[in-house]
Amino acid sequence: MKIKEQISKFGIWFALIALVIIFSLTTETFLTQTNLFNIARQVSIIGICSVGMTFVILMGAMDLSIGAIIGISAVVSATMMSNGIQPVLAVITSLILGVAIGLFIALIVNKIGILPIIVTLAMMTALRGACFIITGGMPVYGIPKSFLFLGQGYVGFFPVPVIIMIIVFIIGYVILEKTVIGRVVYGTGGNEDASRLSGVSVKKVKYFVFAIQGFLGSLAGIILLSRVNSGQPSAGTGYEMDIITACVLGGIRVTGGEGKILGVIIGVLTIGVLSNGMVLLGVNEFWQMIVKGAVLLIAVTADKISKKTSNKMSEGSVKTA
Amino acid sequence: MNQPILELKNIKKVYPGVVALKNVSMKFYPGEVHAIVGENGAGKSTFIKTITGAIQPTEGKIFFEGKEIVNNNPIKSLSLGITAIYQEFNLIPYLSVAENIYYGRFPQKFGFVDYKTMYKNAKKVLDWLGIDINPKTIVKDLSVGYQQIVEIAKSISMNSRVLIMDEPSAPLTNNELKYLFNVVKKLTQQGVAIIYISHRMEEIFDLCHKVTVFRDGEYIKTMNVADTNKNDLFALMVNRKLNDNFPNRNYTPQEVVLEVEGLTTSKVSDISFKLHKGEILGFAGLVGAGRTEIALAIYGADKVRSGSITLKGKRIINKSPAQAIKNGIALIPEDRKKFGALMNMTIKENISYSMLKKIAWKFGIIKANFEKKTANEYKDVLSIKTPSINQKVINLSGGNQQKVILARCMFTDCEILIFDEPTRGIDIGAKQEIYALMNSLTQQGKSIIIISSEMPELLGMADRILVVYNGKIAGELLKKDADQQTILKLASGCDGGTYEN
């Protein structure tokens, strides 16, 4: 039992290390400085969003609209900039839009009582439609050079998106571990009814969490725009999949209330290494999708097994108490 | 009438730490309505489950028509014709009456459901019952009374020989009740043995032939209904020795702290009472009478339709538990796991959870050391038994979990504490500790409302007792006037003659 528990606790570390070893042995390019920085840059977008998703899942909800929020944010800022509006203004507008979308999702969840997964499924579809309407289905060009620093620049040694991701992770960590709002996010996900009866404003928690999620999705969209240098109406499509997988791999319990953001960093890196390694090995894109789907299933299964083990453990300790 | 259809011999059921049922030896005869009475927790549900095979007795044997039922289970008992109708119906609301009656036993033709035969057979059963429902009606469109008839029809279609009815009259109107009685009488003419569980004395004397009393999991006595009366039954139901495990209360009336007037919600109506400083006010009543709902309404968790709450002379409106806590009211909920503790969080995190503001700096950063210090203080004061305050609450015993929730309430600096079933599932030692804590809280000037289904607890702790029946306050008893029998009478709606729905 002990060994099983240890494996499920540190399984994600084993998985990451194993992947690194496999790809290092099977490709010549994997373990090079350029490639490792490449991975870091590639994961920055899903890394930023996975912090927001961590909040959402911990609170006991699920967000499928995050990829579409990335898209709408990229498209809106691109369109504004190509029409000559100052990049700073375009960025601020997009961030406000992201927060507004998050608040809208929370509003529907709170007022009408629809499950977040359904509300965000509807948002995902609707926002993607909006992306194509705004752009007329065509990529938006004419992004000012000065804006490209955000996605392509370096500060000293480090790529800017990676720095932003690290900052977001640190802020996320502090909020979840050290503040009142972090505590009630965990509590709400752990037991919403008990939280309400304890005097927690569960609805406020939902507004806060979805606002953060919208903000970070929007931030990621802006960085993505700056990296690819054009506003693609399909930007961010399917990202929700990688983001949710990263969180679950990182040990965030799908039913909420449990998991640490430090694990999510490892989850994000695992997804990054996996994608990068498969590309280097020349694995066909469609096989990559199958592998990622399998990884999500395995992660959830591991989560389920560890839950069973920990339940058994606690039952045992009740008896001895 | 000479051979019993069902016989129980020396049935005993033991759960770890509790004896749920003991000394049960009973005989049930065809064509007889046999009532089972007892307080909440007297062992009635365990009794039903034993007969239907949902649980296995630890000791004892069950005989059906003189033959022992070995390894009883729900399928076996059904095949013998033992059926049960529970308080919560087992109907599927979106299916038709006929589909519900034959659910899982659909008549078939070439592997398809033979609807024609099914509707025809269903109609036959319903006609026999003398009820005019179209078997194609969707069950959710029927009234509760008719839904119950569907349950009965289902039992009949299974050739029921022994029919267990658990509180069948609870949801019915007076008209529906008469109808139920007719159906029951019809069934007895057909030789079905009926086990009738009810809180309502009138029904037992109107309908039943025999009555058996259970108390605290123990079989007490079986009598012919003709040879007994209400008062005797009540006396048997509560005739237990009161122990003196309770702290000495010396409460002298002080000023009013809380005044509730005409409080009405969807579940309770016109609730008025006063709570004094330092007083323990008990709420007695049967399960489902509305005691918890009164607490939830005061606590802002249930919507209040009308009425007023005055706290220390100031009118307050609690729209949410958060507001109630701000106003100085705290609640220890009935169901610890579902509504009380955050099981997967630590003791420390649970204690500060209702008052996180108190342990945080301006921007919501938690003062970790202060939180730890606070939790340790409460751990010592309430003597929560744990190696560390960083232990998850799920790993504690029930009594210690309850103390953690109490600590959380105390940390809100409340004036009024509402305890809903504070000692359910808690061992004797921890119970006494909680009683002592309640006593010392009132000595510090706090006021307490205690809702409990355990009469000794109410009689031992409360300075005054309000009895709730059917969503209303049925009576008020001072400590010196209160005894188990009077409370039970009021709680069963037998005093004052209100017998309505």
Side-chain angles (χ1 to χ4, degrees):
Chain A
M1 196 69 89
K2 268 250 160 95
I3 295 168
K4 219 177 180 180
E5 202 202 347
Q6 291 301 316
I7 288 176
S8 61
K9 200 167 176 186
F10 295 106
I12 180 65
W13 287 89
F14 291 135
L16 180 58
I17 292 166
L19 283 176
V20 168
I21 292 172
I22 291 168
F23 291 135
S24 306
L25 295 176
T26 49
T27 69
E28 286 181 357
T29 37
F30 180 79
L31 209 59
T32 58
Q33 193 194 330
T34 339
N35 189 51
L36 292 182
F37 267 116
N38 230 343
I39 294 175
R41 245 204 335 255
Q42 280 163 355
V43 298
S44 58
I45 306 279
I46 67 159
I48 290 167
C49 296
S50 69
V51 174
M53 190 65 84
T54 301
F55 277 79
V56 172
I57 301 179
L58 277 178
M59 186 183 66
M62 191 53 81
D63 179 15
L64 300 178
S65 68
I66 186 74
I69 295 177
I70 294 173
I72 196 89
S73 146
V75 161
V76 167
S77 357
T79 311
M80 288 175 77
M81 284 185 238
S82 73
N83 284 317
I85 293 170
Q86 282 295 317
V88 178
L89 206 60
V91 166
I92 291 173
T93 311
S94 287
L95 290 176
I96 292 173
L97 177 68
V99 171
I101 292 170
L103 290 175
F104 179 71
I105 292 171
L107 179 80
I108 295 183
V109 170
N110 281 338
K111 293 283 169 197
I112 310 180
I114 307 175
L115 281 180
I117 193 165
I118 301 299
V119 179
T120 56
L121 177 66
M123 287 305 282
M124 165 178 144
T125 316
L127 288 176
R128 187 58 67 193
C131 290
F132 281 90
I133 290 172
I134 292 169
T135 57
M138 304 295 286
V140 180
Y141 295 105
I143 311 296
K145 280 257 154 49
S146 60
F147 176 69
L148 302 184
F149 173 75
L150 209 53
Q152 299 175 14
Y154 284 84
V155 172
F157 210 51
F158 289 98
V160 175
V162 177
I163 295 171
I164 295 176
M165 174 178 73
I166 291 170
I167 293 171
V168 168
F169 262 107
I170 290 171
I171 294 174
Y173 171 81
V174 170
I175 294 179
L176 281 177
E177 298 291 323
K178 308 283 178 199
T179 70
V180 168
I181 186 79
R183 184 69 61 78
V184 296
V185 167
Y186 274 103
T188 303
N191 189 335
E192 191 170 325
D193 289 326
S195 290
R196 193 180 299 113
L197 284 179
S198 302
V200 169
S201 304
V202 172
K203 288 182 178 173
K204 276 190 205 159
V205 179
K206 289 183 181 170
Y207 279 118
F208 173 82
V209 165
F210 278 107
I212 283 199
Q213 170 79 331
F215 178 86
L216 292 178
S218 196
L219 178 64
I222 292 161
I223 293 168
L224 181 66
L225 169 67
S226 168
R227 232 179 70 195
V228 300
N229 204 9
S230 67
Q232 305 283 346
S234 61
T237 304
Y239 277 36
E240 61 278 348
M241 165 75 193
D242 282 356
I243 293 162
I244 293 169
T245 308
C247 290
V248 177
L249 274 178
I252 305 296
R253 187 139 287 165
V254 270
T255 46
E258 271 181 89
K260 294 285 173 200
I261 200 165
L262 290 174
V264 177
I265 299 177
I266 310 301
V268 168
L269 288 177
T270 308
I271 288 287
V273 166
L274 188 67
S275 308
N276 175 274
M278 286 194 294
V279 170
L280 294 183
L281 281 174
V283 176
N284 144 339
E285 192 189 334
F286 305 118
W287 276 107
Q288 289 185 32
M289 290 164 82
I290 291 179
V291 170
K292 281 185 187 169
V295 167
L296 178 58
L297 267 187
I298 292 167
V300 180
T301 311
D303 179 66
K304 195 119 189 160
I305 290 170
S306 79
K307 193 170 194 175
K308 264 187 203 157
T309 342
S310 73
N311 277 353
K312 266 183 206 154
M313 298 266 303
S314 58
E315 268 166 34
S317 38
V318 165
K319 270 169 209 147
T320 54
Chain B
M1 271 276 200
N2 34 25
Q3 201 209 3
I5 184 161
L6 186 71
E7 183 174 2
L8 283 70
K9 274 190 186 160
N10 292 318
I11 296 287
K12 185 176 186 184
K13 176 70 188 176
V14 182
Y15 287 111
V18 248
V19 180
L21 209 58
K22 64 176 176 184
N23 292 336
V24 182
S25 294
M26 294 171 76
K27 289 176 181 168
F28 298 96
Y29 294 92
E32 201 173 69
V33 185
H34 194 138
I36 311 276
V37 295
E39 281 187 283
N40 301 327
K44 291 171 291 177
S45 339
T46 316
F47 170 78
I48 302 176
K49 284 185 199 158
T50 308
I51 298 178
T52 57
I55 56 172
Q56 305 295 323
T58 319
E59 283 170 28
K61 288 173 178 170
I62 304 174
F63 296 89
F64 187 83
E65 292 187 317
K67 267 190 284 180
E68 189 186 344
I69 312 178
V70 190
N71 294 328
N72 195 13
N73 62 49
I75 296 169
K76 199 176 256 179
S77 69
L78 262 186
S79 70
L80 291 171
I82 300 173
T83 54
I85 298 172
Y86 297 98
Q87 270 167 292
E88 277 103 42
F89 300 148
N90 279 320
L91 297 174
I92 298 160
Y94 294 97
L95 292 184
S96 72
V97 170
E99 282 167 319
N100 267 291
I101 293 177
Y102 291 102
Y103 193 76
R105 307 169 292 129
F106 295 128
Q108 291 181 8
K109 217 183 218 173
F110 314 119
F112 293 97
V113 176
D114 180 1
Y115 277 95
K116 221 169 136 187
T117 312
M118 186 170 78
Y119 288 131
K120 208 176 70 196
N121 292 348
K123 185 87 184 121
K124 245 189 257 168
V125 175
L126 294 168
D127 282 347
W128 185 83
L129 283 170
I131 182 81
D132 188 28
I133 326 178
N134 184 343
K136 291 181 184 171
T137 314
I138 302 300
V139 161
K140 77 172 172 58
D141 298 333
L142 295 173
S143 73
V144 182
Y146 278 112
Q147 290 188 7
Q148 191 169 52
I149 302 293
V150 176
E151 279 276 15
I152 295 173
K154 193 168 152 184
S155 293
I156 293 169
S157 77
M158 288 189 263
N159 294 320
S160 177
R161 309 274 312 276
V162 177
L163 176 60
I164 305 166
M165 302 175 100
D166 187 6
E167 296 273 354
S169 59
L172 302 187
T173 63
N174 277 342
N175 261 340
E176 289 171 327
L177 196 62
K178 272 180 211 144
Y179 193 77
L180 175 75
F181 280 20
N182 285 335
V183 169
V184 168
K185 279 173 189 154
K186 222 166 190 175
L187 289 170
T188 53
Q189 282 157 18
Q190 296 288 313
V192 178
I194 309 251
I195 302 176
Y196 194 91
I197 292 162
S198 180
H199 281 306
R200 297 185 175 172
M201 285 294 157
E202 278 79 357
E203 293 172 13
I204 289 160
F205 288 94
D206 284 355
L207 186 69
C208 304
H209 305 106
K210 279 189 186 150
V211 56
T212 293
V213 178
F214 277 62
R215 187 203 316 140
D216 299 334
E218 198 172 353
Y219 167 86
I220 303 296
K221 198 177 179 186
T222 301
M223 290 157 289
N224 283 321
V225 168
D227 304 338
T228 184
N229 59 50
K230 277 184 212 172
N231 283 338
D232 287 354
L233 284 182
F234 279 128
L236 283 171
M237 280 156 78
V238 295
N239 181 22
R240 62 168 77 82
K241 264 192 282 168
L242 290 177
N243 51 23
D244 38 24
N245 290 329
F246 299 96
N248 277 330
R249 300 268 312 142
N250 44 2
Y251 162 75
T252 44
Q254 296 179 55
E255 75 265 24
V256 173
V257 179
L258 180 81
E259 186 170 2
V260 174
E261 268 188 84
L263 191 72
T264 301
T265 70
S266 58
K267 304 272 175 55
V268 297
S269 59
D270 202 22
I271 303 297
S272 301
F273 66 89
K274 286 177 185 155
L275 175 68
H276 302 82
K277 190 175 176 188
E279 184 184 32
I280 298 183
L281 176 62
F283 273 85
L286 300 169
V287 168
R291 297 167 302 170
T292 298
E293 287 72 16
I294 295 172
L296 290 177
I298 296 170
Y299 191 59
D302 270 5
K303 209 172 173 185
V304 173
R305 282 189 184 156
S306 61
S308 70
I309 302 170
T310 314
L311 186 72
K312 286 182 165 174
K314 225 176 79 189
R315 176 102 189 253
I316 55 164
I317 295 166
N318 296 328
K319 284 197 167 158
S320 65
Q323 233 170 336
I325 289 171
K326 212 178 275 171
N327 282 324
I329 300 174
L331 172 79
I332 297 168
E334 187 178 5
D335 188 330
R336 272 195 298 283
K337 282 188 182 131
K338 252 169 124 178
F339 300 114
L342 295 150
M343 289 300 206
N344 280 315
M345 288 171 90
T346 63
I347 295 169
K348 179 184 76 182
E349 289 166 334
N350 268 277
I351 290 176
S352 56
Y353 198 63
S354 284
M355 268 290 146
L356 286 165
K357 259 189 209 149
K358 246 168 88 177
I359 55 150
W361 302 101
K362 267 225 172 93
F363 294 103
I365 305 280
I366 291 169
K367 302 174 192 166
N369 285 328
F370 181 58
E371 186 181 28
K372 218 185 291 172
K373 209 184 100 210
T374 308
N376 272 318
E377 279 170 18
Y378 279 105
K379 182 194 148 197
D380 294 341
V381 172
L382 304 184
S383 59
I384 299 169
K385 283 169 206 83
T386 173
S388 147
I389 51 162
N390 292 318
Q391 178 77 257
K392 281 188 181 181
V393 170
I394 195 168
N395 293 331
L396 299 178
S397 68
N400 284 305
Q401 288 176 351
Q402 197 69 313
K403 286 186 200 164
V404 171
I405 302 172
L406 177 56
R408 186 180 79 203
C409 291
M410 286 164 71
F411 190 53
T412 65
D413 293 325
C414 53
E415 296 284 329
I416 294 165
L417 283 125
I418 305 173
F419 288 78
D420 195 352
E421 303 287 359
T423 61
R424 179 174 288 171
I426 289 178
D427 63 85
I428 281 283
K431 266 187 185 178
Q432 288 179 8
E433 285 181 71
I434 287 183
Y435 297 144
L437 284 167
M438 290 170 81
N439 199 32
S440 78
L441 281 167
T442 54
Q443 279 160 6
Q444 291 160 33
K446 313 269 187 212
S447 307
I448 289 178
I449 291 175
I450 173 173
I451 298 169
S452 177
S453 294
E454 291 187 33
M455 281 219 211
E457 180 171 290
L458 280 179
L459 291 168
M461 290 304 296
D463 304 312
R464 193 157 51 98
I465 294 172
L466 296 175
V467 186
V468 183
Y469 169 70
N470 216 354
K472 293 192 178 96
I473 291 180
E476 177 178 350
L477 301 164
L478 289 175
K479 186 167 197 156
K480 60 180 168 56
D481 307 326
D483 62 64
Q484 303 193 59
Q485 217 168 318
T486 321
I487 293 175
L488 189 59
K489 268 190 199 169
L490 287 167
S492 312
C494 276
D495 226 68
T498 42
Y499 193 67
E500 70 211 312
N501 256 285

